[in-house]
Amino acid sequence: MTAAKDPPPQPAISAPILATSSVHMSGTAEARIMGSAVAGVSELMLFHPVDTIAKRIMTTESRLVVNSISGTAGNLNTAVFKDRAGAGSLTKFGSLFPGIGFGAVYKILQRVYKFGGQPVLKDWMKSRYGQSFETAFGHHGATTMLSATSGALIGIGEVVLLPLDALKVKAQTAPEQLKGRGVIDIFRTEGWSLYRGVGWTVARNAPGSFALFGGNKAAKIMMGVGEDGQRATWTQDAISSCAGATASIVVAQPLDIVKTRIQSRAFNSPESGVSIITNLLKNEGSGAFFKGLTPKLMVVGPKLVFSFTVAQHLIGYFTTTMKGF
């Protein structure tokens, strides 16, 4: 009889960032789409009025804060409610829902693309460039930088949805430009002008998304979650989303002012970003680049935190529950 041979030794299993595993924290394609879509719908239903308020404040080209409290309150009332500033409370509230149709299509597509697409791109970059990132930044640094860099690239690609965003902003800030016009007529007549400000949008999206996904991942690493198949709790997802959202809003705010003002201009009265910046510095001062930052952090920040938290947690949940389907 021939002695049985020992099985060949198995290679040691290491866990560099390049390694793959049966558990993908990014989730399956179906889980990503479902989690991101639910987040987009939920965000729209709860926060569209808040988004309208922020957009109207950012597009107001006069000084809002003056020497008296009553004067400042009056300026804010006019900026937010426009021609309904003198109406009753219910009428004022109803005036905060223009552009809900454009907002629905834009927000759902944006969240599915952004929150569902970033993990796909991150996984692709990880499989090809993970070792290079780890060599340059170390293990935890590479994890953060991969999330941030893939987020920035996803943010750049988001400009494909710019026409829907532009129409939403116009409906929120200058609805008279769209009055009596159908969607098909607008796209046929305005064409590429709906991509007005695309360069400024890219310049705003790239650092904003870099900070959003990078800040989120860095916070999770500090809490010790997010690796080796670990699922974060609702609280941990909320904390990491808050860190990423705050960083994103602060970093992107100056260029967001320029982008929003470009989009709010009349179709037949465009203004370049350089001209907007020149006039802003001349008439409002450099502080205007951060106009509305405090209320934006207070009201728009929770919107982003909410949707990012819901998307991350539901993607993890659906990934777990859909295994084997």
Side-chain angles (χ1 to χ4, degrees):
M1 294 180 62
T2 304
K5 293 183 179 180
D6 292 331
Q10 297 298 316
I13 298 175
S14 59
I17 193 171
L18 183 62
T20 58
S21 141
S22 59
V23 178
H24 295 278
M25 279 305 293
S26 300
T28 64
E30 294 83 358
R32 290 164 177 162
I33 293 172
M34 291 173 62
S36 301
V38 171
V41 172
S42 303
E43 177 188 343
L44 181 75
M45 298 300 293
L46 292 175
F47 291 102
H48 187 76
V50 171
D51 185 55
T52 299
I53 292 172
K55 289 293 190 293
R56 289 179 177 177
I57 289 176
M58 286 193 292
T59 55
T60 300
E61 298 184 12
S62 58
R63 292 184 183 274
L64 296 176
V65 179
V66 292
N67 293 329
S68 67
I69 295 177
S70 60
T72 299
N75 290 341
L76 286 171
N77 183 52
T78 302
V80 171
F81 298 108
K82 295 188 173 293
D83 58 343
R84 307 295 174 85
S89 298
L90 288 177
T91 302
K92 283 183 174 180
F93 182 72
S95 71
L96 298 177
F97 285 89
I100 188 71
F102 295 124
V105 177
Y106 170 70
K107 187 57 63 180
I108 294 171
L109 288 176
Q110 182 207 34
R111 291 316 188 205
V112 169
Y113 165 77
K114 191 166 189 172
F115 294 156
Q118 184 268 345
V120 176
L121 181 58
K122 183 187 70 175
D123 287 348
W124 181 86
M125 293 178 63
K126 181 177 176 180
S127 67
R128 287 160 176 77
Y129 308 110
Q131 190 62 60
S132 298
F133 271 79
E134 187 163 317
T135 301
F137 302 106
H139 179 66
H140 289 315
T143 303
T144 300
M145 288 301 295
L146 277 168
S147 292
T149 305
S150 59
L153 294 173
I154 283 289
I156 291 172
E158 198 177 327
V159 296
V160 173
L161 302 174
L162 190 61
L164 292 172
D165 185 30
L167 292 176
K168 179 178 74 74
V169 170
K170 288 183 186 299
Q172 290 173 308
T173 61
E176 66 278 358
Q177 296 180 30
L178 305 178
K179 191 174 182 180
R181 302 183 66 183
V183 177
I184 295 177
D185 171 64
I186 293 173
F187 275 90
R188 184 177 62 247
T189 304
E190 306 304 333
W192 289 104
S193 68
L194 292 172
Y195 279 96
R196 187 177 295 152
V198 64
W200 293 99
T201 302
V202 168
R204 168 252 198 186
N205 285 0
S209 294
F210 183 96
L212 174 65
F213 290 101
N216 172 75
K217 178 56 70 175
K220 281 191 172 179
I221 289 175
M222 290 181 67
M223 291 186 288
V225 297
E227 295 191 77
D228 301 322
Q230 299 164 293
R231 274 193 62 197
T233 65
W234 277 106
T235 301
Q236 289 168 332
D237 274 330
I239 292 172
S240 64
S241 296
C242 184
T246 301
S248 176
I249 290 172
V250 173
V251 167
Q253 177 68 6
L255 290 173
D256 199 27
I257 292 282
V258 179
K259 166 190 167 288
T260 301
R261 293 192 179 187
I262 288 174
Q263 291 180 321
S264 66
R265 298 282 300 181
F267 287 116
N268 59 358
S269 180
E271 185 176 9
S272 70
V274 174
S275 174
I276 287 175
I277 291 174
T278 301
N279 291 329
L280 181 147
L281 291 172
K282 177 181 177 181
N283 300 323
E284 303 169 62
S286 59
F289 280 117
F290 292 93
K291 179 182 282 188
L293 178 60
T294 300
K296 192 172 181 180
L297 286 170
M298 293 173 63
V299 294
V300 177
K303 177 186 75 167
L304 182 55
V305 170
F306 171 83
S307 62
F308 200 15
T309 300
V310 170
Q312 290 188 91
H313 204 79
L314 289 185
I315 287 173
Y317 170 77
F318 287 136
T319 300
T320 302
T321 57
M322 293 174 69
K323 283 179 181 177
F325 281 85

